[in-house]
């Protein structure tokens, strides 16, 4: 069984500050991991993915995440927050070894950016 | 390249009715998955279709069903609607080859059951 835990349902940062959104996973096999962002009244947009290549993954909009097997973590970071980053962020894990594509999502973290 | 499209975007139904939602995947994508998003349960996987066959199913009652057509377009159906079925239903498509596991989501269909 797989699961994803996102610590902190709400995170507030000042514009220009570091963004750190936490994600820990549980998987019986090496996981594929994803971060998605959801803006109000929209679907999910893929930010970045980890699929067993480089452990430091760069995504869109200046976000990156580091896969740490020893800590079972895949935290999302951005050096400098922008007002447009305010949204809800979801970490997800995939059971890739079965060839199937069901994603298990965390409960989400709402990021607020203060001017 | 056009993204995943879903129709309709908004829907209001009455308890006991049934509803059909439609999804057109990105061109060339053969896998289509459906998810339900609610404030209480979050994002939950419903089912995945590939080559017109359901190959993966989440933990939802049989009232939730789907199908996929030869052009990879997919529909999902919910029969005998309940108030708890009110949710955002998201469709996602994927290339379905062994090198690509990311899914691309549509804007969703917001279903309200009264």
């Amino acid at each position: 069984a797989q699961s994803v835990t996102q610590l902190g349902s709400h995170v507030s940062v000042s514009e220009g500050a570091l963004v750190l959104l936490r994600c820990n996973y549980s998987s019986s096999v090496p996981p594929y991991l994803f971060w998605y962002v959801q803006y109000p009244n929209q679907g999910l947009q893929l930010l970045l993915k980890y699929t067993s290549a480089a452990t430091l993954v760069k995504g869109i909009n200046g976000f990156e995440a580091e896969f740490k097997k020893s800590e079972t973590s895949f935290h999302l970071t951005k050096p400098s927050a922008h007002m447009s980053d305010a949204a809800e962020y979801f970490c997800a894990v995939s059971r890739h070894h079965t060839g199937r594509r069901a994603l298990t999502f965390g409960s989400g973290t709402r990021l607020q950016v203060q001017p | 390249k056009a993204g995943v499209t879903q129709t309709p975007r908004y829907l209001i139904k009455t308890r006991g009715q049934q509803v059909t939602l439609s999804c057109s995947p990105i061109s060339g994508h053969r896998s289509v998955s459906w998810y339900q998003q609610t404030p209480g349960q979050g994002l939950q996987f419903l089912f995945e279709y590939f080559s017109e066959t359901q190959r993966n199913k989440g933990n939802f009652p049989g009232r939730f069903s789907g199908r996929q057509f030869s052009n990879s377009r997919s529909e999902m159906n919910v029969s005998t609607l309940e108030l708890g079925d009110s949710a955002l239903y998201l469709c996602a498509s994927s290339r379905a080859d062994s090198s690509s596991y990311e899914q691309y989501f549509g804007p969703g269909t917001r279903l309200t059951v009264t």
Side-chain angles (χ1 to χ4, degrees):
Chain A
Q2 305 171 112
S3 66
V4 175
T5 302
Q6 291 185 240
L7 290 174
S9 58
H10 290 81
V11 169
S12 182
V13 300
S14 299
E15 192 173 18
L18 171 72
V19 175
L20 170 60
L21 304 182
R22 299 178 187 275
C23 172
N24 288 89
Y25 69 90
S26 172
S27 178
S28 55
V29 297
Y32 281 1
L33 294 159
F34 306 86
W35 275 100
Y36 285 87
V37 61
Q38 187 177 35
Y39 297 99
N41 299 315
Q42 293 188 28
L44 302 175
Q45 181 182 13
L46 179 66
L47 277 177
L48 48 79
K49 63 179 180 181
Y50 167 76
T51 55
S52 76
T55 56
L56 182 61
V57 180
K58 294 189 184 299
I60 62 172
N61 301 338
F63 285 94
E64 62 181 39
E66 186 172 8
F67 173 73
K68 291 187 177 180
K69 184 178 178 181
S70 60
E71 299 177 9
T72 61
S73 69
F74 190 56
H75 302 331
L76 182 71
T77 61
K78 182 174 181 178
S80 177
H82 191 272
M83 296 296 290
S84 61
D85 294 327
E88 188 152 24
Y89 292 79
F90 294 92
C91 181
V93 62
S94 172
R95 288 189 300 180
H96 67 90
H97 66 290
T98 65
R100 301 172 179 177
R101 280 157 175 77
L103 290 171
T104 299
F105 285 90
S107 55
T109 297
R110 187 168 299 278
L111 176 66
Q112 189 176 26
V113 182
Q114 307 280 6
Chain B
K1 191 183 256 190
V4 177
T5 58
Q6 294 186 244
T7 57
R9 290 293 311 278
Y10 301 91
L11 208 47
I12 299 175
K13 290 286 189 178
T14 304
R15 265 183 308 176
Q17 289 185 316
Q18 75 165 15
V19 67
T20 299
L21 312 182
S22 182
C23 171
S24 293
I26 293 170
S27 177
H29 286 196
R30 297 167 58 200
S31 168
V32 174
S33 298
W34 289 88
Y35 294 83
Q36 182 196 64
Q37 185 177 25
T38 61
Q41 299 298 317
L43 281 154
Q44 294 184 287
F45 171 74
L46 279 156
F47 29 65
E48 179 201 4
Y49 285 86
F50 173 71
S51 290
E52 302 178 62
T53 302
Q54 185 185 93
R55 69 173 179 180
N56 205 0
K57 188 178 189 303
N59 189 27
F60 278 82
R63 300 186 297 107
F64 291 82
S65 63
R67 59 178 176 167
Q68 186 180 35
F69 303 95
S70 59
N71 61 359
S72 295
R73 192 177 68 85
S74 177
E75 290 181 346
M76 69 163 281
N77 184 78
V78 188
S79 62
T80 320
L81 285 166
E82 301 177 359
L83 294 178
D85 296 334
S86 295
L88 181 67
Y89 290 89
L90 293 162
C91 167
S93 74
S94 174
R95 277 188 5 218
D97 59 63
S98 60
S99 64
S100 173
Y101 279 82
E102 61 266 33
Q103 295 182 34
Y104 296 90
F105 285 79
T109 294
R110 172 79 60 187
L111 172 65
T112 302
V113 182
T114 62

